[in-house]
C-alpha cells in the first residue's frame, strides 16, 4: 500500500503487526489501515457476514443499535426520509424507524444491493458497524456526503482508535473484515475535508452534519 485510502497521502507509517496482519497509520488523517494484500475476497467476506445472526426481533441487537438511534431520533423532523447504509441481512434500524412513523430505505452491498438508492438524497443516513469494513474510505465518504441533504446527519457507529498501546491489545482488530480504523483525529479530518460538522456522541458514535451553507 503506497497511499492512504482516505486522504491519499503517501505518509503511511508502520503502526502495528500481529500474527495475521500489518497495520499502517497515516501521518495526515490518522487513519489506521490494513494493507491491501491482507484484504479478504468478496466471497470470503460475505461468507463471514452470512454467519451473523442479527435480527430485528433480537432485543439485545436493538439495544446495541439504540446507541446510535436514540440520540438521532430527536433530530429527525416529521416527513424526513433516511437510509440505513450497510443494513446487513436483518435490517433493524429501519424497522425501529417504521415503528415510530419514520421512513427509511435499506442498502447493503451483499443483501440489499439496490444501486438506485445511492443516487437519492436523504435527510439522515445511519451506518452502524460498517465504515471499518469498507476499503475505499474516500469514495465511501464522498458518496455519503453527496447523498446528504443540507442539514442532514450521517450517524456513524464504529469503535475508535485510542492510541498505539491500546491498539496492540485491541480485540476489534482481530475481526479480519475490519480493515480501516478511525480515531477522533480522523473524524476531525473528515469533517474539515467534506465540510461537515462533527459531534462526538459517545465512545463509538459520531454524527457528521452537512452544513446548510456548504
Amino acid at each position: 500500500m503506497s497511499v492512504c485510502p482516505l486522504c491519499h497521502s503517501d505518509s503511511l507509517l508502520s503502526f502495528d503487526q500481529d500474527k495475521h496482519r500489518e497495520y499502517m497509520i497515516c501521518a495526515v488523517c490518522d487513519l489506521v489501515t490494513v494493507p491491501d494484500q491482507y484484504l479478504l475476497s468478496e466471497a470470503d467476506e460475505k461468507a463471514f457476514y452470512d454467519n451473523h445472526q442479527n435480527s430485528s426481533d433480537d432485543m439485545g441487537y436493538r439495544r446495541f443499535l439504540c446507541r446510535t438511534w436514540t440520540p438521532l431520533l430527536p433530530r429527525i423532523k416529521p416527513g424526513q426520509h433516511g437510509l440505513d447504509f450497510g443494513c446487513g441481512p436483518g435490517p433493524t434500524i429501519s424497522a425501529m424507524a417504521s415503528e415510530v412513523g419514520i421512513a427509511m430505505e435499506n442498502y447493503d452491498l451483499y443483501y440489499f444491493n439496490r444501486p438506485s438508492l445511492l443516487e437519492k438524497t436523504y435527510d439522515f443516513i445511519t451506518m452502524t458497524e460498517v465504515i471499518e469494513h469498507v476499503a475505499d474510505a474516500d469514495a465511501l465518504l464522498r458518496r455519503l456526503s453527496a447523498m446528504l441533504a443540507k442539514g442532514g446527519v450521517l450517524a456513524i457507529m464504529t469503535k475508535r482508535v485510542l492510541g498505539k498501546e491500546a491498539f496492540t491489545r485491541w480485540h476489534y482488530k482481530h475481526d479480519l473484515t475490519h480493515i480501516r480504523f478511525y480515531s477522533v483525529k480522523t473524524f476531525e479530518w473528515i469533517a474539515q475535508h467534506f465540510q461537515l460538522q462533527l459531534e462526538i456522541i459517545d465512545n463509538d458514535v459520531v454524527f457528521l452534519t452537512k452544513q446548510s451553507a456548504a
Side-chain angles (χ1 to χ4, degrees), residues 6-78:
L6 176 58
C7 71
H8 301 291
S9 165
D10 60 3
S11 301
L12 291 178
L13 306 171
S14 179
F15 189 62
D16 192 33
Q17 184 167 0
D18 57 30
K19 63 182 180 180
H20 298 294
R21 308 183 292 185
E22 298 177 77
Y23 305 86
M24 309 295 289
I25 190 168
C26 178
V28 174
C29 70
D30 211 48
L31 184 75
V32 175
T33 188
V34 173
D36 289 350
Q37 66 262 33
Y38 299 102
L39 304 190
L40 300 180
S41 68
E42 284 195 3
D44 288 343
E45 188 177 22
K46 183 178 183 299
F48 182 88
Y49 300 147
D50 286 343
N51 290 322
H52 289 185
Q53 300 298 319
N54 297 333
S55 162
S56 61
D57 297 327
D58 184 335
M59 297 309 296
Y61 185 48
R62 282 180 172 240
R63 284 192 296 272
F64 174 73
L65 294 176
C66 276
R67 295 172 61 191
T68 301
W69 180 244
T70 298
L72 178 62
L73 184 55
R75 304 175 187 229
I76 302 171
K77 299 175 182 177

Side-chain angles (χ1 to χ4, degrees), residues 69 72-84 101-105 117 119-126 144-155 196 199 207-212:
W69 180 244
L72 178 62
L73 184 55
R75 304 175 187 229
I76 302 171
K77 299 175 182 177
Q80 289 192 328
H81 183 222
L83 174 73
D84 187 13
I102 296 171
M104 288 188 75
E105 303 282 0
L117 294 179
E119 305 302 323
K120 298 182 179 181
T121 301
Y122 301 92
D123 300 297
F124 63 97
I125 299 172
T126 58
L144 292 173
S145 178
M147 289 159 56
L148 275 181
K150 297 291 180 64
V153 178
L154 172 60
L196 303 168
E199 295 175 79
F207 287 177
L208 292 160
T209 301
K210 191 165 189 176
Q211 300 174 25
S212 297

Side-chain angles (χ1 to χ4, degrees), residues 103-192:
M104 288 188 75
E105 303 282 0
N106 292 306
Y107 175 82
D108 191 280
L109 175 64
Y110 295 121
Y111 303 103
F112 292 84
N113 193 348
R114 295 185 288 166
S116 62
L117 294 179
L118 305 182
E119 305 302 323
K120 298 182 179 181
T121 301
Y122 301 92
D123 300 297
F124 63 97
I125 299 172
T126 58
M127 187 165 54
T128 56
E129 294 293 318
V130 172
I131 196 170
E132 67 275 6
H133 298 269
V134 180
D136 194 337
D138 176 50
L140 171 68
L141 288 158
R142 192 176 301 279
R143 167 157 275 182
L144 292 173
S145 178
M147 289 159 56
L148 275 181
K150 297 291 180 64
V153 178
L154 172 60
I156 299 173
M157 176 188 282
T158 188
K159 292 191 178 298
R160 296 196 294 269
V161 176
L162 300 178
K164 181 173 174 57
E165 183 178 349
F167 190 90
T168 298
R169 58 180 187 272
W170 197 23
H171 74 280
Y172 201 62
K173 68 173 181 172
H174 296 154
D175 183 332
L176 298 183
T177 66
H178 292 176
I179 56 175
R180 308 290 184 246
F181 304 94
Y182 295 71
S183 65
V184 169
K185 182 178 176 182
T186 311
F187 283 118
E188 289 173 344
W189 185 93
I190 290 167
Q192 181 176 19

